[in-house]
Amino acid sequence: MKFQTSRIASAAIADMASDKIDSVLLAVADALTARAPELLEANAADCMAMDSTDPRYDRLKLTPERIADIAEGIRSVAALPSPLGVTLDSIKRPNGLLIRKVSVPFGVIGAIFEARPNVIFDIFALCFKAGSACVLKGGHEAARSDAKAIEIIRDALDAAGAPADAAVLVEGGHEAADTLLKARGEIDLLIPRGSRRLIDYVRDNALVPVIETGAGVCHTYFHTSGDIATGRDIIFNAKTRRPGVCNSLDCLLFDRSRLGDLPAICYHLSDKDVQVY
């Protein structure tokens, strides 16, 4: 088995108490904060190799502020209630047989993504919180950043007494990605995160179960009861905070009765050179 060590790690995570899982996540967040300069150095090398006008550049680039946000995101995941061992449904049959539906870990979750080094930490934190190991395949544009990110995670896991193979980075090109797609019996679930082209390829070629994620064209609806100041701030943030990412605002839907407020809602978008069609 190519991912046997990930399978062994997933079994170890599934046996962990929820407070142990949370403490390990906090340790990873602390390690990321402490080793941020290393990650920034690796990321700078990746950014140097990419044209700064490339739409993917902003997704690739890390800053001290973005790394601080990533660490805070990991801590937020640690603070969530455990999703494991929760009784989702229960029914008692006429013969007295009690049937319960209880949440359990997937096992080994694979993820394929593009030039987004922050995604490594996002996916790891969510998988680990849910008692699963993750196998990650990033884009070649972020190779140095991804390698440093996985090193930070694995070192922190090892130091915290958790299996380092809870997070594994698959290196290589399309052949390596296809290995994940064909890993039936080894990868329990595969999640593509990126462009429509990537998502379609994974969905159409995978032999393992796939969760198809969104690929953009994000909408915001301003309701007839909407508050102008709140709507203006939300729309401005959704469109201009990071316009290069897949969840930035693409389309604004407006209640017909509030069309008179459209100039006020969109007024500040011109500060960021946003064109409204």
Side-chain angles (χ1 to χ4, degrees):
M1 290 178 63
K2 297 181 180 64
F3 305 108
Q4 184 176 11
T5 57
S6 298
R7 177 66 64 194
I8 294 171
S10 71
I13 304 167
D15 283 339
M16 282 187 187
S18 60
D19 58 346
K20 173 64 174 180
I21 287 177
D22 294 342
S23 68
V24 172
L25 287 172
L26 293 176
V28 171
D30 291 343
L32 172 58
T33 300
R35 298 179 64 177
E38 297 176 42
L39 183 55
L40 287 170
E41 182 180 359
N43 183 249
D46 286 331
C47 290
M48 283 288 291
M50 181 181 284
D51 184 347
S52 61
T53 64
D54 190 310
R56 297 170 298 173
Y57 185 84
D58 181 62
R59 306 177 195 180
L60 171 65
K61 184 176 178 59
L62 292 174
T63 65
E65 293 76 19
R66 288 180 179 179
I67 290 178
D69 287 343
I70 296 169
E72 188 56 36
I74 298 172
R75 295 185 180 101
S76 295
V77 171
L80 293 171
S82 174
L84 301 175
V86 178
T87 299
L88 305 172
D89 194 13
S90 178
I91 183 171
K92 192 169 187 177
R93 306 300 298 166
N95 63 358
L97 178 65
L98 178 64
I99 301 174
R100 293 192 303 139
K101 183 190 294 184
V102 179
S103 60
V104 298
F106 271 105
V108 180
I109 298 177
I112 301 177
F113 49 95
E114 295 173 331
R116 296 279 300 275
N118 64 294
V119 168
I120 284 189
F121 293 98
D122 295 345
I123 295 174
F124 160 73
L126 292 170
C127 290
F128 196 81
K129 180 73 176 186
S132 294
C134 60
V135 177
L136 307 166
K137 174 67 180 76
H140 68 275
E141 302 88 353
R144 300 174 186 85
S145 305
D146 291 348
K148 180 56 66 174
I150 204 72
E151 177 187 311
I152 292 171
I153 291 171
R154 289 172 62 87
D155 286 351
L157 286 168
D158 188 56
D165 286 327
V168 172
L169 182 66
V170 176
E171 299 179 353
H174 293 295
E175 298 80 8
D178 285 339
T179 299
L180 281 175
L181 271 60
K182 305 297 191 290
R184 179 183 290 170
E186 301 177 55
I187 301 295
D188 298 300
L189 177 68
L190 188 58
I191 303 173
R193 181 170 173 180
S195 66
R196 170 52 60 189
R197 181 180 178 184
L198 170 67
I199 293 169
D200 288 347
Y201 180 82
V202 171
R203 183 198 60 220
D204 295 342
N205 293 277
L207 299 181
V208 299
V210 173
I211 289 182
E212 183 176 351
T213 59
V217 194
C218 299
H219 292 60
T220 294
Y221 172 56
F222 189 79
H223 188 262
T224 181
S225 63
D227 175 71
I228 292 177
T230 302
R232 181 176 60 237
D233 291 346
I234 290 173
I235 291 164
F236 182 81
N237 177 274
K239 184 60 186 176
T240 68
R241 182 172 178 266
R242 292 191 69 187
V245 297
C246 60
N247 63 339
S248 66
L249 175 61
D250 295 304
C251 185
L252 175 59
L253 301 176
F254 226 80
D255 191 280
R256 185 181 300 273
S257 67
R258 298 296 299 275
L259 280 177
D261 296 316
L262 185 59
I265 291 291
C266 296
Y267 180 78
H268 290 298
L269 292 174
S270 61
D271 296 343
K272 296 289 187 177
D273 299 322
V274 175
Q275 297 181 26
V276 180
Y277 295 90

